[in-house]
């Protein structure tokens, strides 16, 4: 289709774990006009991004005005433990776990109580000594003070001192979360500080690639709560991009299906995620995201995740079929990646049926990666020396040798990314059934035949059983998510039993992922629901990167304080706790009025920075009074303010704001100015969640 000069397009990019997807959406009608997938490249994602965009219509790319990105980069960095070194300062009395995994930290005297009153003087000399000792071996600092959400004074004083001593970025706990939990806020600040250079590098990569193409768009990024933020905001708070991939899939599914309320099953290469969007907004968890075992205060999607994806390892034992939990390279793809692999596969090594386990399989192969080995023990060195740059079966690796290392040794090499595994997967099963044939079908057929022989069935029946098992697990995850709190074993009994009844789901179930259409009919046999995979479901995450709304959420508390004596309950005053500090009032009605007006002002001020006018924003307010006895004056009133950009307005605002920039070079300069040496110097008035 030809493009006129008046047309404009939005570019969505999702840099996932396996694929980097790009999609162009026409602004005039919101239609997806073209899309492309390319393999994600590590550790530098630029090549994957280039190839993904290169597959789009070059004439339409010239008319792009908005670029929005989602990525697994922050999540993977935390999971892999590859964040930059950070110094953590905890102010107050904390109970730090012995296995916290935090390096370069100190706990000093100071902090406040729940009313925002100082409980101990801040020990600045101890902070100064610690900072000077480690400043040359860290890239940033994180600070968390006891009850800083009620009074951030101590965090701010430490921040100022560190900046004067080092000039390095400083992240404070109250800037990222307003909920109680000082240690978790400290963890959140610590992880955010680790990610600052990572986020800067990634966004610079995006900017450089867009600039190379001669474009002048506004660049935004999707957060894990489903909202989009400007590039500058994303660089300040990269921790908020963890799980932005699942958020993108949720919003993309809603956009492509046309349903503002639906459940979404997103099938990736490694895992399957189930989530919910209600009236256009993601269902969020109040507990905070858990990433790589770290409990944070980042509000993210409520999500059910299982270690089951299109590339999960299919293995057999005792006549049963198992899925995962590890991800492997599918046989069909390995045959394309490694030219001699088909010859290795055709040798048809048949292991002893009694010795079968996850590693001892007729269809499992091992190959070395380019990762450099570090700190290996003797057993690991011996085993790694037997693995080559071309795939080898377990028999070829060491069964004809004098050593037989324990399973844990191979597990360790795989975990350290020194060894990559190849095996039969659900993707291979679909290749055999002819429902997805992107790679080498013959490799999948050989693998299916080998495994089917151990089960005692033919090749096609084996693959149908794999497909049914995969659909059953999808149904189990869906019901477990919707029926939160119900024992999963009871759900499995219902799914496994031959009953005259099925689970009923009252809202649409939208499937996302490469070959998910293959599972629609199987899923309908297990649950009574409208189940479908919309057009462009294979690039739903890239669509979702553009479908996020501009939102902002803040909390303000009004609390009445009394004298400590139980015989003299005189009011000491009314305090309003806001994201920028606390304020004292004598009259409660004035405090409540101030809280309501100030909360709305903070929301609208934030939205104005994204180019939105007050009439383009809907501000929703939740108010909860806490009383000792019914009818009494509340001792505390909590306000939750949520601002939501009106439909399609935020995208227009992002596009319109590029007029304020002095060309794309200025945008690149903005990225540079927000680099590691100044990330900590943003206004406190912006730092609320």
């Amino acid at each position: 289709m030809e493009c006129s000069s008046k047309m404009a397009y939005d570019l969505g990019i999702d840099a996932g774990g396996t694929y980097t997807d790009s999609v162009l959406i026409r602004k005039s009608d919101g239609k997806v006009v073209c899309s492309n997938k390319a393999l994600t490249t590590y550790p530098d994602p630029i090549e994957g991004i280039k190839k993904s965009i290169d597959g789009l219509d070059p004439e339409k790319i010239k008319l792009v005005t908005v670029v929005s990105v989602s990525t697994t980069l922050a999540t993977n960095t935390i999971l892999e433990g590859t964040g930059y070194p950070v110094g953590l300062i905890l102010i107050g009395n904390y109970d730090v776990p012995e296995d916290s995994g935090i390096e370069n930290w100190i706990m000093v005297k100071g902090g406040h109580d729940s009313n925002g009153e100082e409980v101990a003087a801040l020990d600045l000399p101890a902070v100064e000594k610690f900072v000077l000792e480690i400043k040359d071996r860290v890239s940033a600092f994180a600070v968390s003070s006891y009850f800083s959400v009620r009074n951030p004074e101590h965090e701010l004083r430490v921040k100022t001192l560190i900046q004067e001593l080092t000039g390095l970025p400083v992240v404070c706990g109250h800037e990222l979360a307003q909920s109680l939990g000082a240690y978790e806020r400290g963890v959140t600040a610590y992880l955010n500080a680790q990610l600052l250079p990572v986020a800067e590098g990634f966004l610079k990569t995006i900017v450089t690639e867009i600039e190379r193409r001669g474009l002048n768009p506004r660049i935004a990024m999707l957060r894990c709560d489903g909202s989009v933020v400007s590039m500058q905001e994303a660089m300040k708070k990269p921790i908020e991009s963890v799980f932005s991939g699942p958020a993108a899939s949720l919003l993309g599914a809603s956009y492509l299906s046309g349903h503002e309320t639906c459940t979404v099953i997103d099938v990736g290469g490694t895992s399957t995620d189930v989530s919910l969007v209600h009236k256009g907004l993601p269902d969020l968890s109040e507990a905070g995201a858990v990433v790589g075992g770290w409990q944070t205060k980042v509000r993210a999607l409520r999500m059910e995740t299982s270690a089951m994806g299109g590339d999960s390892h299919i293995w057999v034992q005792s006549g049963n079929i198992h899925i995962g939990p590890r991800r492997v390279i599918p046989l069909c793809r390995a045959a394309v990646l490694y030219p001699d692999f088909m010859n290795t596969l055709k040798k048809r090594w048949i292991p002893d049926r009694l010795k079968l386990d996850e590693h001892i399989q007729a269809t499992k192969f091992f190959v070395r990666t380019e990762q450099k080995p570090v700190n290996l023990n003797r057993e690991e060195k011996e085993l790694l020396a037997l693995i080559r740059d071309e795939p080898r079966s377990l028999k070829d690796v060491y069964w004809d040798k004098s050593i037989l290392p324990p399973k844990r040794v191979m597990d360790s090499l795989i975990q350290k990314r020194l060894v990559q595994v190849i095996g039969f997967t659900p993707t291979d099963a679909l290749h055999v059934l002819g429902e997805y044939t992107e790679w080498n079908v013959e490799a999948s057929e050989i693998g299916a035949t080998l495994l089917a022989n151990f089960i005692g069935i033919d090749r096609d029946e084996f693959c149908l059983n794999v497909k049914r098992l995969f659909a059953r697990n999808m149904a189990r995850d869906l019901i477990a998510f919707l029926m939160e709190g119900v024992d999963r074993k009871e759900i499995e009994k219902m799914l496994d039993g031959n009953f005259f009844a099925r689970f009923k789901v009252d809202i649409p179930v939208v499937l996302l992922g490469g070959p998910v259409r293959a599972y629609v009919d199987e899923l309908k046999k297990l649950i009574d629901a409208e189940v479908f995979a919309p057009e462009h479901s294979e690039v739903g995450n890239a669509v979702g990167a553009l479908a996020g709304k501009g939102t902002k959420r803040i909390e303000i508390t009004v609390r009445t304080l009394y004298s400590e004596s139980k015989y003299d309950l005189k009011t000491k005053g009314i305090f309003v706790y806001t994201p920028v500090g606390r304020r004292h009032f004598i009259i409660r009605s004035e405090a409540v009025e101030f809280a309501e007006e100030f909360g709305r002002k903070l929301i609208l001020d934030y939205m104005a920075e994204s180019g939105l006018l007050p009439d383009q924003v809907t501000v929703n307010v939740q108010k909860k009074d806490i009383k000792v006895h019914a009818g009494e004056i509340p001792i505390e009133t909590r306000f939750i303010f949520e601002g939501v950009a009106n439909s399609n307005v935020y995208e227009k605002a992002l596009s319109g704001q590029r007029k304020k920039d002095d060309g794309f070079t200025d945008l690149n300069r903005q990225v540079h100015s927000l680099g590691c040496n100044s990330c900590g110097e943003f206004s406190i008035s912006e730092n609320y969640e």
Side-chain angles (χ1 to χ4, degrees), residues 41 413 452 513 627:
T41 52
L413 294 179
K627 301 178 180 180

Side-chain angles (χ1 to χ4, degrees), residues 210-256:
I210 297 300
E211 181 182 33
R212 186 182 68 83
R213 296 173 183 270
L215 303 180
N216 182 28
R218 185 69 177 175
I219 300 178
M221 195 165 187
L222 190 75
R223 297 194 303 187
C224 56
D225 63 357
S227 63
V228 287
V229 294
S230 68
M231 183 178 59
Q232 289 86 348
E233 180 81 357
M235 290 184 68
K236 297 172 187 174
K237 302 179 182 179
I239 187 65
E240 294 178 350
S241 70
V242 294
F243 299 140
S244 69
S249 68
L250 181 63
L251 296 173
S254 177
Y255 185 94
L256 292 171

Side-chain angles (χ1 to χ4, degrees), residues 46 203-213 664 668:
I46 184 62
L203 287 170
K204 278 187 176 180
T205 294
I206 296 291
V207 168
T208 301
E209 176 59 19
I210 297 300
E211 181 182 33
R212 186 182 68 83
R213 296 173 183 270
F664 201 83
N668 213 349

